[in-house]
């Protein structure tokens, strides 16, 4: 059973993809969903063509750039604010209601005002990504800081280690697992928000391209862009998972996951 | 059928009380290995023994020898690699309906979303006993393990020993013909332990159950058993099968004070140490 | 000596603790009020077209949502959200159970599920619009598709990681299939399932807004985007305020329900942490 499960899995994976593509082709040919579903082969070849153009890579690059720079800003600000919130009870309680309110509100809600102020620009996309990622990172970081072993803190204090040094050498490493998992969770969100910024805010990148293709009825292009966005999403997910493992390989939380 | 060599010491000579009763549980040439290919581990090589109806058999052996594995095979949870196990002559293929199992790891055998009473009721649901019969069984089982007051508590509100007693109560309420327990009294205090041992003797008497107990406690094995199955070595084989007989009814004070008791425990201890 | 020290610090804490807690509660309530007041006052004479006076926003909020557009826009949005979310959870759990039960189907479905989960759900909205048109079904289907995957995946993962000890109990006592599923496996997986359901709710909410921003004129999302495009910034702010409140309220309701359903789990965890 155990021995068998390895190779067939790959086979099953290939079979499932083939099956899916075949089903797609059948739907497209039969016109089951109207003429709006483009033929599978056409779409795939269009996708390859799309990926072969330098221009497309510039567009993909714009989306990735918005996602990554927004994420990076969110990490810097989120970790700094999270440490502040975690260390100071006053700040923690003062910000509690605001954070609790903003946490479940997705960035698409404030998209209209951000677009109004910043216009359909790259900066708008970056800001939206930033807003979408900063709250989860901040919340997780603060939780990690609060979770710091009080014994480690006490012993640092009793050795006369300064506040800044304690923060950097004791608090930050112990909160690292929380920060790492928050980044793993927010990286795919960053990509989604970058696409949303183009789709509904007119910002540069795949989102805008998708919107244009959709409103001009170019179905093959629409499907191709969605496929590309999916591959990009897979890439973001797997890189963030691997990166978290790499960075946190020493941490007990990683070991638990591996034994599972 | 083919019992391993029986030491001809004084206590072994005493005719067991159960040989005239039918064989309820029989194990023949049982072998079990986990995994396959390179990761294959042979845990049990060859075990054979028989337990007659109404008998209490204790299985003792060093840690990691495969006692839990044996019980899971008997309970039909693991397929055998070779040999056979049978209840009343019927080969065990899946979990037998006439058997109840008390697991070694009590914390992983009670559902934390059910109260003690609901946990005990769990295996009774599909028996469709009717509300009064079911309620009386639940009350009785809780009463017998001394948890009449704790029926509405959740497992995580109970101590380890109390949780294990809930697991025992669940098995009792099921009224199995064969009760199989894996180190059931390991996490209770000495006083409760004595009480549960006597409870074990009592339920055998009252319900004519056949009981198989795995234990690390040699005194417990000697006190409870009509038969001790010592297993040892890697992969595991039967080191010795030892009939045990004391004047009935047994009692914690008088039985444990018998010279034959001390003799038996010394003997088993030696066997286990040799088996390592 | 050690004991004395310990009691000393606790009593110390308690003495200072009472006014401190009061201070914290004041902060929790006070800071948002102060901020809102600051917004209100500082925006009072605002002539900045992007940031109209809060008073005007609240006024528009009142005029628009209470109750002019309640029936025409708020109710359709909300019913799409609730219905889409409910269907998605139902499908996700049922699909997850089937996949967890039937290994070969799971192997078949796994790669596809993981691909479609990685696709930003909002990117699918244009596809649904093109295939299903601009009707309400499109919005509902978009919400269901976006929200089904988190629950589905969490259900499969949750069922696969049910403790083998609990499973053995179910088998050893010959529980029926439905008992094993409903009384053992699903409850054991429920903490994980609920985590997935929460993400489903968030996705449903995002896609509710996104599907309304795509070529329709009804719904809160559509009204908010249209207000932005026509530079009616007070209306836009009113829409944002309403959407934010709905997002918050939906999540808060969910967490209340979860605390109820999983009360055994949270209490057991607390117990474990304490001992
Ligand atoms: N599912 C499994 N897969 C592989 N190996 C296993 C499995 N379960 C148990 N083993 C191995 O089988 C051997 C016997 O385990 P088992 O739990 O039966 O011992 P035991 O006699 O009950 O020990 P203890 O007295 O400590 O409970 C051990 O070496 C263990 O590592
Ligand atoms: Mg064991």
């Amino acid at each position: 059973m155990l021995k068998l499960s390895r190779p067939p899995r790959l086979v099953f994976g290939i079979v499932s993809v083939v099956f899916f593509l075949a089903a797609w082709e059948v739907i497209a040919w039969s016109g089951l969903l109207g003429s709006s579903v483009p033929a599978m082969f056409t779409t795939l070849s269009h996708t390859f063509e799309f990926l072969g153009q330098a221009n497309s890579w510039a567009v993909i690059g714009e989306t990735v750039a918005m996602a990554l720079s927004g994420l990076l800003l969110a990490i810097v600000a989120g970790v700094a604010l999270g440490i502040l919130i975690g260390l100071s009870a006053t700040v923690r309680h003062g910000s509690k209601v605001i954070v609790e309110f903003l946490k479940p509100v997705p960035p698409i809600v404030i998209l209209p005002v951000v677009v109004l102020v910043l216009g359909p620009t790259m900066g708008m996309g970056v800001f939206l990504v930033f807003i979408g990622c900063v709250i989860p990172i901040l919340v997780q970081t603060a939780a990690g800081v609060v979770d710091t072993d009080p014994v480690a803190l006490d012993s640092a204090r009793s050795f006369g280690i300064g506040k800044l040094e304690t923060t950097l050498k004791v608090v930050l490493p112990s909160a690292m697992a929380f920060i790492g998992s928050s980044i793993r969770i927010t990286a795919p969100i960053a990509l989604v928000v970058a696409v949303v910024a183009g789709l509904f805010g007119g910002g540069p990148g795949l989102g805008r391209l998708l919107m244009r293709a959709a409103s001009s009825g170019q179905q093959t292009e629409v499907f191709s862009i969605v496929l590309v966005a999916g591959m990009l999403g897979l890439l973001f997910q797997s890189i963030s998972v691997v990166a978290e493992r790499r960075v946190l390989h020493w941490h007990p939380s990683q070991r638990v996951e591996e034994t599972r | 059928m083919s019992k391993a060599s029986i030491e001809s010491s004084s206590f072994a000579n005493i005719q067991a009380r159960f040989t005239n009763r039918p064989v309820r549980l029989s194990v023949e040439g049982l072998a079990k290995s986990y995994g396959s290919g390179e990761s294959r581990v042979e845990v049990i090589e060859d075990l054979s023994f028989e337990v007659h109806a109404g008998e209490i058999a204790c299985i003792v052996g060093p840690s990691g020898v495969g006692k839990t594995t044996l019980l899971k095979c008997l309970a039909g949870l693991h397929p055998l690699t070779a040999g056979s196990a049978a209840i009343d002559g019927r080969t065990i293929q899946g979990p037998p309906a006439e058997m109840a199992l008390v697991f070694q790891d009590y914390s992983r055998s009670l559902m934390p979303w059910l109260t003690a009473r609901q946990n005990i009721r769990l295996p009774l649901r599909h028996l469709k006993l009717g509300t009064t019969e079911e309620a009386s069984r639940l009350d009785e089982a809780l009463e017998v393990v001394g948890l009449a007051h704790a029926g509405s508590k959740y497992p995580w509100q109970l101590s380890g020993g109390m949780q294990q007693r809930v697991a025992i109560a669940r098995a009792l309420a099921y009224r199995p013909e064969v009760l199989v327990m894996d180190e059931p009294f390991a996490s209770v205090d000495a006083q409760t332990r004595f009480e549960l041992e006597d409870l074990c003797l009592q339920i055998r008497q009252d319900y004519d159950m056949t009981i198989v107990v795995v234990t690390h406690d040699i005194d417990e094995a000697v006190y409870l058993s009509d038969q001790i199955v010592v297993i040892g070595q890697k992969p595991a084989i039967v080191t010795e099968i030892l009939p045990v007989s004391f004047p009935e009814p047994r009692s914690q004070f008088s039985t444990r004070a018998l010279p034959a008791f001390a003799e038996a425990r010394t003997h088993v201890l030696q066997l286990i140490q040799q088996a390592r | 000596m050690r004991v004395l020290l310990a009691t000393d610090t606790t009593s110390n804490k308690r003495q200072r603790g009472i006014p401190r807690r009061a201070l914290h509660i004041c902060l929790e309530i006070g800071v948002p009020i102060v901020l809102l007041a600051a917004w209100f006052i500082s925006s009072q004479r605002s002539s900045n077209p992007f940031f109209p006076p809060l008073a005007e926003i609240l006024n528009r909020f009142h005029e628009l949502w209470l109750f002019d557009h309640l029936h025409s826009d708020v109710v359709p949005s909300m019913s799409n959200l609730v219905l889409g979310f409910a269907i998605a959870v139902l499908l996700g759990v049922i699909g997850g159970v089937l996949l967890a039960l039937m290994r070969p189907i799971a192997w078949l479905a796994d790669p596809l599920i993981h691909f479609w989960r990685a696709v930003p759900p909002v990117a699918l909205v244009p596809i649904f619009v093109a295939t299903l048109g601009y009707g309400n079904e499109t919005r509902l289907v978009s919400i269901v598709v976006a929200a089904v995957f988190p629950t589905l995946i969490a259900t499969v993962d949750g069922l696969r990681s049910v403790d083998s000890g609990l499973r053995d109990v179910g088998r050893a006592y010959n529980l029926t299939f439905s008992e094993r599923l409903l009384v053992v496996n699903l409850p054991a997986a429920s903490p994980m399932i609920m985590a997935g359901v929460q993400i489903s709710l968030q996705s449903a909410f995002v896609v509710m807004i996104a599907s309304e921003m795509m070529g329709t004129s009804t719904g809160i999302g559509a009204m908010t985007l249209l207000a932005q495009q026509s530079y009616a910034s007070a209306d836009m702010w009113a829409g944002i305020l309403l959407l934010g409140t709905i997002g918050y309220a939906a999540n808060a309701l969910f967490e209340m329900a979860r605390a109820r359903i999983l009360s055994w789990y949270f209490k057991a965890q607390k117990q474990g942490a304490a001992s």
Side-chain angles (χ1 to χ4, degrees):
Chain A
M1 186 71 182
L2 257 172
K3 201 179 118 193
L4 273 172
S5 69
R6 273 253 158 142
R9 265 209 142 154
L10 190 69
V11 176
F12 269 100
I14 294 167
V15 167
S16 85
V17 170
V18 169
F19 182 79
F20 168 74
L21 293 176
W24 176 1
E25 191 69 354
V26 167
I27 288 173
W29 271 90
S30 67
L32 210 67
L33 293 173
S35 57
S36 50
V37 179
M40 182 266 292
F41 281 115
T42 327
T43 310
L44 286 191
S45 67
H46 186 86
T47 308
F48 281 119
E49 209 174 293
F50 178 87
L51 289 176
Q53 291 163 355
N55 201 17
S56 323
W57 286 101
V59 172
I60 293 173
E62 280 166 344
T63 295
V64 172
M66 284 196 297
L68 287 187
S69 37
L71 180 62
L72 204 67
L73 288 176
I75 292 172
V76 173
V79 170
L81 287 174
I83 289 177
L84 193 67
I85 289 174
L87 286 180
S88 153
T90 313
V91 179
R92 184 159 63 245
H93 288 279
S95 62
K96 186 175 170 187
V97 172
I98 301 162
V99 170
E100 287 296 317
F101 184 80
L102 292 180
K103 202 164 60 173
V105 177
I108 194 172
V109 168
I110 60 151
L111 178 133
V113 66
V114 177
V115 174
L116 195 64
V117 175
L118 297 176
T121 58
M122 193 112 174
M124 178 274 292
V126 172
F127 184 75
L128 218 52
V129 173
F130 170 79
I131 292 294
C133 298
V134 73
I135 302 275
I137 295 176
L138 170 158
V139 169
Q140 284 290 311
T141 307
V145 171
V146 172
D147 194 53
T148 306
D149 188 359
V151 177
L153 274 183
D154 277 349
S155 60
R157 206 165 292 146
S158 68
F159 281 120
I161 297 171
K163 227 180 174 152
L164 184 68
E165 208 180 337
T166 312
T167 306
L168 289 181
K169 292 203 170 146
V170 181
V171 175
L172 200 56
S174 98
M176 214 55 207
F178 284 74
I179 297 173
S181 77
S182 78
I183 294 172
R184 171 173 52 80
I185 295 163
T186 46
I189 296 178
L191 181 71
V192 174
V193 178
V195 172
V196 167
L199 200 55
F200 301 112
L206 281 174
R208 184 162 66 189
L209 205 62
L210 179 60
M211 189 54 136
R212 285 192 182 151
S215 45
S216 60
Q218 293 168 275
Q219 283 309 302
T220 320
E221 176 95 348
V222 168
F223 275 69
S224 295
I225 296 170
V226 169
L227 283 183
V228 171
M231 290 185 258
L232 211 54
L234 273 183
L235 203 68
F236 261 66
Q237 265 177 15
S238 25
I239 288 179
S240 53
V241 169
V242 172
E244 189 195 12
R245 288 248 169 93
R246 274 285 153 79
V247 177
L248 292 177
H249 59 92
W250 51 272
H251 201 277
S253 71
Q254 294 302 306
R255 255 167 273 153
V256 172
E257 228 174 289
E258 264 162 42
T259 50
R260 241 182 227 167
Chain B
M1 285 184 289
S2 60
K3 283 188 181 175
S5 64
I6 295 174
E7 191 96 354
S8 58
S9 48
S10 58
F11 50 84
N13 283 335
I14 302 167
Q15 180 65 43
R17 293 177 294 147
F18 299 94
T19 39
N20 58 347
R21 300 208 49 189
V23 173
R24 178 125 293 161
L25 182 72
S26 66
V27 176
E28 250 195 79
L30 186 150
K32 172 70 191 169
S33 42
Y34 284 114
S36 60
E38 287 185 10
S39 61
R40 184 187 164 98
V41 250
E42 198 178 354
V43 177
I44 296 174
E45 183 182 315
D46 179 13
L47 295 182
S48 301
F49 60 91
E50 279 174 347
V51 186
H52 294 261
E55 206 176 359
I56 297 182
C58 280
I59 295 170
V60 296
S63 180
V65 77
K67 304 183 294 294
T68 298
T69 303
L70 167 66
L71 291 198
K72 287 195 172 168
C73 289
L74 294 183
L77 295 173
H78 289 322
L80 307 185
T81 310
S84 68
I87 284 191
D88 295 333
R90 278 173 287 112
T91 308
I92 296 171
Q93 267 149 348
E98 53 272 75
M99 183 187 283
L101 184 57
V102 175
F103 292 85
Q104 179 170 12
D105 193 354
Y106 56 83
S107 66
R108 292 169 57 207
S109 89
L110 297 178
M111 314 291 151
W113 51 89
L114 299 179
T115 62
R117 201 181 166 85
Q118 289 168 331
N119 263 294
I120 299 170
R121 185 172 164 256
L122 186 62
L124 305 184
R125 296 158 73 118
H126 67 273
L127 299 181
K128 306 252 182 321
L129 297 169
T131 25
T132 43
E133 162 76 3
E134 191 177 275
S136 76
R137 276 208 201 178
L138 293 180
D139 291 336
E140 192 186 327
L142 278 165
E143 180 74 48
V144 149
V145 296
L147 289 176
H149 59 287
S152 59
K153 291 254 168 56
Y154 286 89
W156 33 271
Q157 295 173 314
L158 302 173
S159 71
M162 289 163 95
Q163 291 178 45
Q164 187 60 296
R165 282 187 275 159
V166 174
I168 294 169
R170 176 170 64 192
L172 293 182
Y174 190 65
R175 303 272 164 86
E177 281 176 29
V178 181
L179 175 61
V180 175
M181 302 197 276
D182 197 353
E183 295 184 35
F185 313 138
S187 55
V188 299
D189 59 280
Q191 177 59 35
T192 314
R193 189 175 188 126
F194 284 167
E195 284 168 18
L196 289 175
E197 285 167 10
D198 286 335
L199 169 68
C200 201
L201 296 172
Q202 190 65 46
I203 55 174
R204 182 263 302 271
Q205 201 74 36
D206 293 351
Y207 303 117
D208 194 33
M209 277 185 201
T210 308
I211 303 177
V212 177
V213 187
V214 163
T215 176
H216 271 149
D217 184 335
I218 293 158
D219 284 48
E220 179 170 286
V222 174
Y223 178 66
L224 286 178
S225 295
D226 303 302
Q227 176 188 187
I228 299 178
V229 179
V230 184
I231 63 180
Q233 292 186 15
K234 258 179 196 222
I237 54 163
V238 172
T239 312
E240 182 161 331
I241 294 176
L242 203 73
V244 180
S245 180
F246 297 120
E248 303 285 340
R250 301 183 189 189
S251 101
Q252 294 285 1
F253 296 106
S254 55
T255 308
R256 284 179 192 260
L258 293 172
F261 190 96
E263 212 175 315
R265 71 183 296 279
T266 314
H267 184 70
V268 175
L269 192 59
Q270 279 168 350
L271 285 171
I272 291 178
Q273 275 173 350
Q274 283 162 16
R276 241 176 241 280
Chain C
M1 180 64 196
R2 215 175 265 163
V3 174
L4 228 149
L5 250 171
T7 49
D8 248 348
T9 51
T10 49
S11 69
N12 221 348
K13 250 183 201 161
R14 197 166 298 150
Q15 271 170 12
R16 288 190 306 158
I18 295 163
R20 230 187 206 194
R21 274 212 67 183
L23 179 75
H24 288 159
I25 292 172
C26 282
L27 274 172
E28 282 175 19
I29 303 167
V31 171
I33 293 177
V34 168
L35 284 177
L36 280 177
W39 182 8
F40 194 92
I41 293 165
S42 68
S43 69
Q44 217 160 19
R45 303 197 181 291
S46 163
S47 55
N48 185 328
F50 303 150
F51 301 101
L54 181 56
E56 198 186 323
I57 296 172
L58 292 177
N59 190 33
R60 288 303 290 158
F61 188 94
H62 182 89
E63 285 170 13
L64 285 177
W65 308 126
L66 312 170
F67 301 91
D68 253 17
H69 288 265
L70 183 77
H71 191 70
S72 61
D73 294 283
V74 180
V75 170
S77 292
M78 294 305 292
S79 63
N80 278 347
L81 177 65
V82 172
L83 195 62
F85 170 68
I87 295 174
V89 168
L90 206 65
L91 288 181
V93 172
I94 293 174
V97 168
L98 291 179
L99 288 182
L101 285 177
M102 292 179 255
R103 281 284 158 101
I105 295 186
W107 290 338
L108 273 180
D110 247 14
L112 294 179
I113 290 175
H114 282 96
F115 179 77
W116 287 111
R117 181 177 68 156
V119 176
V122 283
L124 294 174
V125 177
I127 290 188
F128 290 121
V129 170
T131 44
L132 300 173
Y134 287 105
N136 198 48
E137 316 80 62
T138 302
R139 279 168 257 164
L140 200 58
V141 170
S142 306
I143 293 173
V144 171
V145 170
V148 79
F149 286 110
T151 300
L152 179 86
I153 291 169
T155 305
V156 176
D157 286 350
L159 287 175
R160 279 185 192 161
S161 55
V162 172
D163 191 290
S164 62
L166 298 185
R167 252 186 245 225
D168 279 351
V169 171
R171 291 213 293 141
Y173 282 104
N174 278 303
L175 298 194
T176 61
F177 171 80
S178 66
E179 281 173 344
R180 283 206 301 245
L181 183 65
L182 298 176
V183 192
V184 179
N185 285 305
L186 277 178
S190 60
M192 252 170 150
I193 296 177
M194 289 306 260
V197 171
Q198 186 167 29
I199 301 174
S200 284
L201 179 61
Q202 284 158 4
S203 305
F205 182 58
V206 169
V207 173
M208 174 201 94
I209 301 172
S211 67
E212 290 172 352
M213 287 181 165
M214 190 98 200
T216 53
S217 56
T218 50
I220 313 166
M223 281 191 63
T224 309
L225 194 70
L226 286 177
Q228 179 247 310
Q229 284 161 355
S230 53
Y231 297 98
S233 61
D235 290 13
M236 177 198 75
W237 276 104
I240 289 176
L241 225 55
L242 180 63
L243 286 174
T245 311
I246 292 172
Y248 174 77
N251 191 59
L253 278 177
F254 172 83
E255 285 189 346
M256 270 161 58
R258 177 170 67 174
R260 271 235 138 144
I261 297 170
L262 296 184
S263 73
W264 62 269
Y265 175 74
F266 293 120
K267 284 185 194 152
Q269 285 222 313
K270 214 186 264 174
Q271 200 78 14
S275 65

